[in-house]
Amino acid sequence: MPNFEPNTISELEINISQCTKCDLAKTRNLTVPGDGNYNANIMLIGEAPGSNEDKTGKPFAGRAGSLLDELLMRSGIERSKVYITNMLKCRPPSNRDPQLSEISACQPYLDLQISLVDPSVIVTLGRFSFAKFFPQVTLSESRGIVRDWKGIKILPVYHPAAALYNPSLKPKLIQDFQKITTLLAEKDNTSLSNIQTQPNTQLNLFE
Ligand code: URA
């Protein structure tokens, strides 16, 4: 946990910049806390910084970020209006997958970001961020299906980087991103009757 409980996203970002809770602190260049509108209705959560993010300190700064921009634009959403962060705030060496211990170490930062930004919709980009909320279901069976998590609508989508390697996933991503605008339109409608509800069960990335 941070040395003190930050009251704002800016305080939290300072805290993250000083973090030494796991070994990624030894190999990172810059921390990548998150970026965007601190009062956003929509939060997007990716996996971990890559080399461009590690150099700039901004999430989704490379090719996956360009595709993310395109997906947002196609859905009529400005990047500056959303808040974007990752499960991990530091780059794993050679862009390897996040380790469970790193996810646990970083989790309090993400939890605080969620409570401070207080979004109505969270779009999880890829399997790691989806597993934070719904560890017992796979992304391939869940993508595009909205679920409720503590009153927040969770929309799981494939990671944009996956579509760079496998272009056949791009139409699915475009389709799933279109749902964000529908969800926002429903924002003031308190009925979640069309949304599947799942208990918040323990994180298990290995199932
Ligand atoms: N860039 C990020 O910031 N996060 C990812 O998950 C991938 C690329």
Side-chain angles (χ1 to χ4, degrees):
M1 275 297 287
N3 299 333
F4 66 97
E5 184 86 342
N7 292 314
T8 63
I9 291 280
S10 320
E11 284 177 8
L12 178 60
E13 289 178 354
I14 293 168
N15 230 305
I16 291 171
S17 72
Q18 297 161 353
C19 182
T20 54
K21 289 197 296 175
C22 79
D23 281 350
L24 297 183
K26 295 178 186 158
T27 50
R28 74 174 178 232
N29 180 31
L30 294 177
T31 53
V32 184
D35 189 38
N37 186 329
Y38 295 171
N39 298 308
N41 274 328
I42 308 166
M43 179 182 264
L44 293 98
I45 307 176
E47 187 175 311
S51 79
N52 288 296
E53 291 79 17
D54 180 65
K55 283 187 199 117
T56 59
K58 300 286 179 202
F60 285 90
R63 285 178 64 221
S66 301
L67 179 53
L68 180 61
D69 290 346
E70 181 192 331
L71 292 164
L72 288 169
M73 196 192 65
R74 280 173 178 266
S75 308
I77 300 164
E78 286 175 43
R79 180 166 170 150
S80 61
K81 300 245 163 75
V82 304
Y83 187 77
I84 307 179
T85 188
N86 283 303
M87 295 295 289
L88 300 188
K89 314 307 186 200
C90 296
R91 182 191 183 198
S94 314
N95 298 341
R96 63 156 169 73
D97 281 350
Q99 292 174 354
L100 205 50
S101 59
E102 295 159 354
I103 291 175
S104 308
C106 238
Q107 182 176 307
Y109 297 133
L110 181 57
D111 289 341
L112 217 40
Q113 284 172 313
I114 294 170
S115 75
L116 289 169
V117 175
D118 194 20
S120 49
V121 175
I122 292 178
V123 182
T124 58
L125 306 167
R127 68 193 165 101
F128 285 95
S129 51
F130 182 50
K132 170 179 173 60
F133 303 100
F134 297 99
Q136 292 185 321
V137 272
T138 65
L139 179 57
S140 53
E141 68 184 316
S142 310
R143 58 149 273 263
I145 300 173
V146 180
R147 288 180 160 84
D148 176 76
W149 182 83
K150 300 183 181 179
I152 302 173
K153 296 169 192 175
I154 307 289
L155 173 65
V157 304
Y158 287 131
H159 196 289
L164 296 176
Y165 294 105
N166 180 356
S168 72
L169 297 180
K170 187 170 171 183
K172 295 181 174 133
L173 263 170
I174 293 170
Q175 189 187 18
D176 292 345
F177 264 74
Q178 301 291 337
K179 299 198 176 159
I180 302 174
T181 23
T182 317
L183 287 174
L184 288 179
E186 288 170 359
K187 183 167 128 4
D188 295 327
N189 177 356
T190 47
S191 164
L192 294 178
S193 53
N194 292 329
I195 298 175
Q196 291 191 20
T197 305
Q198 292 261 325
N200 176 25
T201 39
Q202 205 184 348
L203 182 72
N204 184 351
L205 295 177
F206 302 111
E207 282 184 351

